[in-house]
Amino acid sequence: MSTSTVAILVFPGTNSEEETLAACNAAGLDARLVLWSDPPADLPRYDAFILPGGFAFEDRVRAGAVAAKSQAVEIVAREAERGKLVLGLCNGAQVLAEAGLLGAVAIARNVPARHFQNRFVDVELTAPPQRCAFTFQLAPGAKIRMAMAHAEGRFCGDASTFDALERAGRITFRYAGGAPNGAMRDAAGVCNEAGNVLALMPHPERAAWAFNLAFEDPSLRSLDSSTPTPALQIFRSLAASLTRA
Amino acid sequence: MRSRSSLDVTIEPAIPDNTAFTVLRTLRELGYQELQAVSRADHLLLTVRHAGGSGAEGPAAQRVAQQLSKAEVLFNPNKHRLAYAPAAASSTDGAPDYEALVFEKDDDAGRLLAVLRTTFGMGYLESVARGVVWRLRERDRAAPAERLHWACQTLLSNRVSQDYEVRVRPERIILGADGKSVGEQNDGAAKELR
């Protein structure tokens, strides 16, 4: 068991904190749920932060826009600058993008259809595993099934920005077979330059156990339903990175 | 000979707007203490094709607005108020009221246009562009343009995926529930949240 502690930030409208907590616990992490309204002075005590999925502040204005202006996220951004690990999952990824932690990268409404898409997707690790703290324990080129559930999940920006992201190995994950949401360069997950911040649109925590995927993949039905899937490696990588640090 | 005209349409909540209230609180927390009210409306800029000569005349602005309201694709008469203005119209009396129009850089409204043209008989529409209009009010006046710029750069617009324009608010005419125009839109206090 790692002695490092992970804060899972909960905003009004967050809805994936329990799954995220379960995945963290299964990876041996000491994770705690921290409300956006808890005393912000406590936040720097944590070694890593996860911003889970949901609809923080009901996605008002834009997904993640209002939460990104909160004092809690301001502190998380400051701690990320100092090298602490920050993982944003779906709505959490939107918050990180709105807070500027990815640079000139936005997460905008899906195209061509603007509607909410809810499906399982396969994403592929397209950067070296060592490039990002959250892929440290994955095999090169690993393909992982995750749950996609968003209407605003399209990574976008200038072509030159995405050229630079590709050169720097910052497009951590891509949708295998093409992005269903119109994301530039099929990006499903983008990390920052230092590799300590990852914004990932699909949900690994909703696909971390055999029972999550058994409907899609009949071969999993013979397994114990609580058998971990490769998606849990994201959280194990976080635990390993904290131990290594 | 064909000609074109533009129609500026807003569809705003006629019920309390939680998003506007959240923006009000957030902008105040970010330091805009003078801010008293925020209102928001979906915005459409329609290009209408008029066929002259042998063809039928294109519908007048009110007729377009009526058809749009009857389609009830974008507008629910129980929850929304629809207002319209020729695109070139602007406020005329006193100090100008400003509003911010925020829109996606790469929005494709082609499907919406196709639905309006084919399903709802608005074949005279040539294009549709959509966005969101924000209006901010201080105690006794509309927010000055520089405050709208600040609000857009701070919260209302994403510099990577969106663009915004601060402009003089056009005089729009509110379409009544019976499809008749009922008067000029005047930044109605009812929709503003305090």
Side-chain angles (χ1 to χ4, degrees):
Chain A
M1 168 76 76
S2 166
T3 55
S4 304
T5 55
V6 178
I8 299 171
L9 274 181
V10 179
F11 294 97
T14 297
N15 65 13
S16 297
E17 68 275 21
E18 292 294 342
E19 297 94 320
T20 305
L21 184 63
C24 285
N25 289 340
L29 289 160
D30 179 5
R32 321 264 172 88
L33 300 183
V34 177
L35 292 178
W36 90 104
S37 54
D38 285 346
D42 292 346
L43 275 175
R45 295 181 195 160
Y46 291 91
D47 301 293
F49 303 90
I50 301 180
L51 282 68
F55 301 90
F57 295 95
E58 287 186 342
D59 284 356
R60 291 173 188 174
V61 186
R62 288 179 308 283
V66 176
K69 302 299 175 194
S70 67
Q71 199 176 1
V73 171
E74 193 179 310
I75 291 170
V76 168
R78 203 162 56 225
E79 295 300 305
E81 277 285 311
R82 297 173 55 199
K84 287 191 182 174
L85 306 185
V86 180
L87 174 62
L89 301 173
C90 195
N91 187 226
Q94 294 160 337
V95 174
L96 295 182
E98 285 286 342
L101 270 72
L102 304 178
V105 174
I107 300 177
R109 188 164 281 278
N110 300 346
V111 295
R114 292 158 58 86
H115 57 246
F116 193 92
Q117 294 194 47
N118 189 13
R119 62 173 81 173
F120 284 100
V121 290
D122 290 325
V123 299
E124 196 172 349
L125 179 64
T126 50
Q130 305 291 335
R131 178 66 181 84
C132 172
F134 303 94
T135 56
F136 175 54
Q137 291 211 326
L138 294 172
K143 202 177 274 190
I144 305 176
R145 184 157 292 182
M146 298 184 194
M148 168 185 174
H150 58 246
E152 296 178 53
R154 174 173 58 95
F155 280 101
C156 63
D158 289 345
S160 58
T161 298
F162 273 72
D163 290 344
L165 293 181
E166 295 211 76
R167 283 195 299 273
R170 287 180 53 194
I171 302 182
T172 311
F173 289 103
R174 292 175 208 255
Y175 294 98
N181 57 12
M184 286 180 71
R185 315 288 165 94
D186 297 327
V190 172
C191 73
N192 68 345
E193 185 59 40
N196 64 317
V197 175
L198 174 64
L200 180 60
M201 279 313 300
H203 294 265
E205 82 286 2
R206 294 187 194 171
W209 321 104
F211 76 84
N212 291 135
L213 302 175
F215 185 77
E216 290 275 314
D217 182 354
S219 70
L220 295 174
R221 293 176 194 167
S222 59
L223 300 177
D224 183 298
S225 63
S226 60
T227 304
T229 70
L232 197 62
Q233 292 292 83
I234 305 282
F235 299 92
R236 288 183 172 144
S237 294
L238 166 59
S241 293
L242 287 172
T243 303
R244 195 169 56 160
Chain B
M1 183 161 178
R2 289 177 183 278
S3 63
R4 295 178 181 82
S5 64
S6 295
L7 188 67
D8 171 297
V9 176
T10 56
I11 298 165
E12 61 189 27
I15 57 176
D17 183 353
N18 292 336
T19 297
F21 184 64
T22 298
V23 166
L24 172 63
R25 288 194 57 171
T26 305
L27 291 178
R28 288 178 65 110
E29 283 169 14
L30 291 169
Y32 189 1
Q33 293 302 321
E34 301 84 2
L35 184 63
Q36 293 292 320
V38 173
S39 62
R40 175 187 65 115
D42 289 330
H43 178 265
L44 297 173
L45 182 63
L46 309 175
T47 307
V48 179
R49 189 177 55 238
H50 304 274
S54 59
E57 189 69 66
Q62 184 179 352
R63 177 77 185 124
V64 175
Q66 284 169 339
Q67 253 187 300
L68 195 63
S69 70
K70 281 180 184 165
E72 294 191 15
V73 181
L74 302 160
F75 170 78
N76 178 339
N78 296 323
K79 296 197 295 187
H80 297 130
R81 214 167 11 225
L82 190 147
Y84 65 94
S90 61
S91 296
T92 51
D93 298 334
D97 278 3
Y98 291 100
E99 64 183 18
L101 171 62
V102 179
F103 49 95
E104 303 285 326
K105 283 181 180 173
D106 49 5
D107 184 23
D108 177 6
R111 290 183 184 207
L112 172 61
L113 179 63
V115 168
L116 292 174
R117 290 176 72 164
T118 58
T119 309
F120 295 101
M122 302 175 78
Y124 50 81
L125 289 182
E126 195 164 273
S127 68
V128 176
R130 59 189 159 196
V132 177
V133 161
W134 295 93
R135 291 190 291 272
L136 311 182
R137 280 199 73 80
E138 298 180 356
R139 185 171 301 279
D140 52 1
R141 62 171 190 169
E146 58 267 27
R147 279 299 201 178
L148 281 159
H149 280 286
W150 172 83
C152 287
Q153 290 160 11
T154 305
L155 179 67
L156 302 179
S157 173
N158 182 301
R159 67 189 172 91
V160 177
S161 61
Q162 297 177 310
D163 275 325
Y164 75 90
E165 177 190 342
V166 173
R167 59 187 200 168
V168 175
R169 180 170 65 86
E171 281 185 20
R172 298 190 181 95
I173 299 161
I174 296 175
L175 195 71
D178 58 355
K180 293 179 181 164
S181 301
V182 294
E184 289 176 2
Q185 186 184 39
N186 60 355
D187 227 9
K191 64 183 177 297
E192 293 175 349
L193 299 160
R194 294 174 188 275

